Amino acid sequence: MDKANDIQHGANAFRWAPPKRRSAVVPVFLPFHGCPTRCLFCAQHSQTGVKDVSLKNILPKFKMLLEERAAKHEDAPELAFYGGTFTAMPIGEQKLCLDFAAGLKERGLVSSFRCSTRPDCVDRAALARLKAAGCATLELGVQSFDDVALRACRRGYGGREALAACARVKEAGFALGVQLLPGLPGSSPEDFVNDVQIALSAAGADMLRFYPCLVLRGTELEAAWRDGKYMPMPLDICLETLADGWLKALKAGVPVIRMGLAPEKSLEAAIAAGPHHPALGTRVMARALYRAVESAARGGKLRSLQVPQNCRGYFWGHRGELRPAWAALGLTPDAVNFVQGETVSLC
Ligand code: SF4
């Protein structure tokens, strides 16, 4: 069966089955390790809640944690090295991490492992190193494929280089994750939707992450914002923009494995401005479902709607924010039935 969700304009039923991440991930955050520069929007210490780490100290702690999980007969998770530029870390540090992860995999303590890096730091030698160690997935912090936005952020590479990096990762046989940042300086909501399309088609992403650009304290972006040189994307526009991107991914059958930065006490305190909300992901999915139904209804009113049971938690939107929109489509709460399965049926 086709993994994509075929949401057709004017259809009275369509499949609604957002693809899911397969196994749990245990992240090892290595803030700024290997990063050639500090990107103007990035504050890894606040984002991850992890201060400077020494690999020699933290790896044994993760080993213990994974042994405890195994002793409790929990499914082996995936291990992930996040928070920096893995493939630009000194070779000795990369080797330490890769040997560590390969050893855990051999013992069955993790099912696989992945790491994140930048598009300009994945040459063939780096990919060969990861492959030899058994790494399965590489996530690229592409941020955007748009040259104007990339230049405004001084990322140091262009859209063409980002695409070439995606191609190298795929050719080397890795699953490719693409991270995108809507609301970057120099970019528009349309640029983000275009970026999603490129990630899904030309780049061949196997999974996506959407991290709306926030103004975090201590970053260059904060200074630009305070000087009036940068305006973050308003939350409402961000939700609609993410819904556009999320729907594209859904139709392509590609999972969006994260929307918005993970909640962290240190992150909450660090946000100076920007489209942040603790329920960002479900607010986006609620809008996306509404859009899909509205499009299928093709301007007509609905008498009733059958929706998969697993949409119940977000169907009406955060604190019922979509009730007026559903009412405008003709739907009252008693006309919505949550049912088993993966089909949305209009009537
Ligand atoms: S965005 Fe990525 S490359 Fe830039 S400083 Fe943050 S972790 Fe490093």
Side-chain angles (χ1 to χ4, degrees), residues 39-43 47 214-224:
C39 297
L40 75 172
F41 48 78
C42 186
Q47 288 167 222
L214 300 177
V215 178
L216 299 177
R217 293 184 210 287
T219 60
E220 267 191 73
L221 197 61
E222 184 195 11

Side-chain angles (χ1 to χ4, degrees), residues 63 66-67 69-71 73-79 100-112:
K63 180 168 159 266
L66 290 160
E67 284 170 344
R69 282 183 65 117
H73 305 290
E74 290 178 26
D75 285 346
E78 191 175 350
L79 190 73
F100 175 72
L104 294 173
K105 196 170 159 222
E106 219 174 279
R107 291 178 58 200
L109 295 178
V110 297
S111 57
S112 59

Side-chain angles (χ1 to χ4, degrees), residues 85-170:
T85 305
F86 189 90
T87 51
M89 294 194 315
I91 295 287
E93 287 187 15
Q94 287 184 49
K95 198 168 162 2
L96 201 62
C97 292
L98 294 176
D99 289 349
F100 175 72
L104 294 173
K105 196 170 159 222
E106 219 174 279
R107 291 178 58 200
L109 295 178
V110 297
S111 57
S112 59
F113 63 96
R114 62 174 65 196
C115 60
S116 65
T117 189
R118 295 168 47 108
D120 53 352
C121 293
V122 279
D123 59 19
R124 295 197 193 280
L127 293 173
R129 240 181 346 260
L130 294 175
K131 199 75 199 164
C135 177
T137 302
L138 202 50
E139 297 197 33
L140 291 185
V142 168
Q143 325 305 26
S144 176
F145 291 99
D146 182 76
D147 286 339
V148 175
L150 289 169
R151 214 173 302 120
C153 295
R154 299 198 306 278
R155 282 289 284 177
Y157 56 84
R160 205 177 329 167
E161 286 87 349
L163 260 181
C166 293
R168 282 197 300 280
V169 169
K170 296 283 289 185

